[in-house]
Amino acid sequence: MTNDLLEDRDAWSMENCSIARTFAIIGTRSAILVIREAFFGARRFDDIARRAGIGEPAVAARLKDLTAAGLMERVPYQDAGQRTRYEYQLTAKGRALLPVITALRDWGDAWSADPEGPPVQAVHRGCQAPAHARLVCDDGHDIGPEGLAILAGPGLRQSRTHAG
């Protein structure tokens, strides 16, 4: 393995870090809870607020943010005799967060669950086996922290202190 960037960490900048940019969108407790509820099937504002256990102003703000970021979309619906209202559903971009939400749940189940165990279990509908997030390479190998190298990507920027 050549040019592992961790060997000279000060030579490159993280001003355009994908992790930081992701947290700018989903990095609040309320955003994660709104996304969790969307994955659990909540679509309507009142259901999301009640199930997430957060105040309506925070839910409204997060739905606005997540919609603006393209993770959720507003879909009109109308109950008989009522005005048109909107429900929220995950877009493809939002659904792509499933492994992230699953990894957060896995970590929480392992490190912060109640003594009696986690409140929910995710299983594969096809066989009922527990479902977990895992890190694998494109060739299908499981990867632990010791097996991960950090290499330059096309958007890597040189650190200002090391720029020539």
Side-chain angles (χ1 to χ4, degrees), residues 44-160:
R44 297 185 177 179
F45 180 91
D46 292 341
D47 292 336
I48 294 169
R50 180 175 45 81
R51 292 179 179 155
I54 53 181
E56 290 184 2
V59 172
R62 292 306 74 75
L63 286 170
K64 182 178 178 183
D65 295 344
L66 295 169
T67 300
L71 278 71
M72 298 187 82
E73 61 186 353
R74 288 172 27 127
V75 178
Y77 74 92
Q78 188 172 19
D79 292 330
Q82 300 291 319
R83 66 180 172 87
T84 299
R85 300 186 65 157
Y86 293 91
E87 61 183 16
Y88 297 85
Q89 61 187 28
L90 292 165
T91 63
K93 186 177 179 180
R95 289 188 304 274
L97 287 168
L98 180 60
V100 175
I101 297 298
T102 300
L104 288 170
R105 191 191 61 251
D106 284 349
W107 186 91
D109 289 352
W111 298 101
S112 65
D114 289 339
E116 55 270 19
V120 299
Q121 294 180 331
V123 298
H124 177 218
R125 285 187 195 273
C127 68
Q128 299 301 303
H132 301 282
R134 64 180 218 198
L135 187 62
V136 296
C137 72
D138 285 348
D139 287 338
H141 303 111
D142 285 325
I143 304 171
E146 68 287 343
L148 191 64
I150 305 300
L151 306 178
L156 183 71
R157 296 179 184 167
Q158 191 175 37
S159 173
R160 293 174 200 258

Side-chain angles (χ1 to χ4, degrees), residues 3-10 12 148-151:
N3 297 328
D4 187 328
L5 291 177
L6 298 181
E7 293 175 10
D8 188 10
R9 185 65 187 85
D10 291 330
W12 48 287
L148 191 64
I150 305 300
L151 306 178

Side-chain angles (χ1 to χ4, degrees), residues 4-27:
D4 187 328
L5 291 177
L6 298 181
E7 293 175 10
D8 188 10
R9 185 65 187 85
D10 291 330
W12 48 287
S13 168
M14 290 309 302
E15 66 188 30
N16 62 338
C17 173
S18 296
I19 295 170
R21 288 180 174 172
T22 300
F23 265 83
I25 299 168
I26 65 164

